[in-house]
Amino acid sequence: MTELLQRQVRNRLLRQFPEDAFQLLAPFLDPIELPVKHSLVRPRKPIEHVCFLESGLASMVAESADGKSVEIRHIGREGIAGYPVVLGVDRTPNKTFMQVAGFGLQVATEDFLPILEHPCVRQLLLRYVHTCELQLAHSALAAANFNMHQRLARWLLMCHDRIDGNDLPLTHEFLALMLGVRRAGVTDELHILEGMHAIKSTRGNVRITDRNKLIEIAGGCYGVPEQEYERLIEGPEPEVVFLVERPGREHAIVAREPGSCLRD
């Protein structure tokens, strides 16, 4: 088997793993093709695998007792499917499946859990879970305070963040699931965005023609979770140097930003 090198992976979380932790996990990472509709997490079933997406787009969907459903978040190469196991949860009522075909690196949960004992990995993944919660919070904020075409602009931007290129292979059915509306309503909202020259919609595809325009349309309902991800996952860990005075001498103390992972 060819050795998997950290510099070769595209998943943004795996690229942030400490080198020693990545080397421990790498032998258990199995390449896997992820076709459309492939199930990553089944509702109320044990989470048997965790998958680091390298490409493609997965949807996490919540379902009510009477069968109504809505997408609650996206997962692309910024994250992992099956992340509830990070919190000590072995199953969830939510389901996760592929909406856009891609590729991933999959590891059995039993092989993944020991790596959480590495303090920097545990901190990294808990920070990731925080950004997931923040994304969900801003979905609720958008639903309560922004109109439909602003919410659609936000979801399209989130898809664009996770898919290479400007063509998003998204069906109207999927967009309706994202927004929790009827398909006919999605068609109307796409026409609004087209009229603003932000996108071009055809059957089964949405082309982003002006990302800046989409950001302008989305307004305040897009950007905060994305900035938090960059700050916590990919941002620098600044060192702060301060002096501690003691009788007859001074000590220079180097400390990292509170909450950051201290490395030897």
Side-chain angles (χ1 to χ4, degrees), residues 46-100:
I47 301 173
E48 298 177 345
H49 295 88
V50 167
C51 187
F52 292 85
L53 271 67
E54 292 274 278
S55 62
L57 185 69
S59 291
M60 179 179 288
V61 174
E63 292 184 329
S64 64
D66 58 357
K68 295 182 175 64
S69 61
V70 65
E71 188 195 54
I72 54 176
R73 64 180 315 271
H74 296 151
I75 303 171
R77 61 174 170 263
E78 89 297 339
I80 57 174
Y83 69 79
V85 301
V86 174
L87 302 176
V89 177
D90 72 333
R91 66 195 70 198
T92 173
N94 299 329
K95 63 181 179 181
T96 304
F97 59 95
M98 296 299 295
Q99 285 284 5
V100 176

Side-chain angles (χ1 to χ4, degrees), residues 239-243 252-255:
E239 293 183 338
V240 180
V241 179
F242 57 95
L243 296 179
I253 306 296
V254 179

Side-chain angles (χ1 to χ4, degrees), residues 213-234:
K213 175 63 71 174
L214 268 186
I215 293 174
E216 178 184 333
I217 294 168
C221 70
Y222 172 79
V224 172
E226 290 73 20
Q227 292 169 3
E228 189 76 344
Y229 183 98
E230 292 182 3
R231 182 181 76 87
L232 291 176
I233 305 299
E234 297 179 326

Side-chain angles (χ1 to χ4, degrees), residues 112-164:
F112 173 74
L113 291 178
I115 202 69
L116 297 180
E117 297 176 8
H118 192 296
C120 290
V121 170
R122 182 170 63 252
Q123 183 184 75
L124 174 71
L125 295 178
L126 287 176
R127 287 181 171 191
Y128 169 68
V129 173
H130 165 70
T131 66
C132 294
E133 291 185 343
L134 191 62
Q135 187 185 109
L136 178 59
H138 277 254
S139 293
L141 177 67
N145 294 284
F146 291 81
N147 61 40
M148 191 65 69
H149 71 271
Q150 289 176 306
R151 291 169 54 200
L152 177 57
R154 172 180 180 261
W155 280 114
L156 292 176
L157 286 165
M158 290 164 62
C159 292
H160 194 222
D161 290 340
R162 293 161 172 82
I163 298 178
D164 295 324

Side-chain angles (χ1 to χ4, degrees), residues 194-210:
E194 282 190 294
M196 295 179 175
H197 306 291
I199 66 167
K200 178 65 176 177
S201 177
T202 55
R203 184 177 179 85
N205 189 78
V206 177
R207 171 170 290 183
I208 307 299
T209 58
D210 191 335

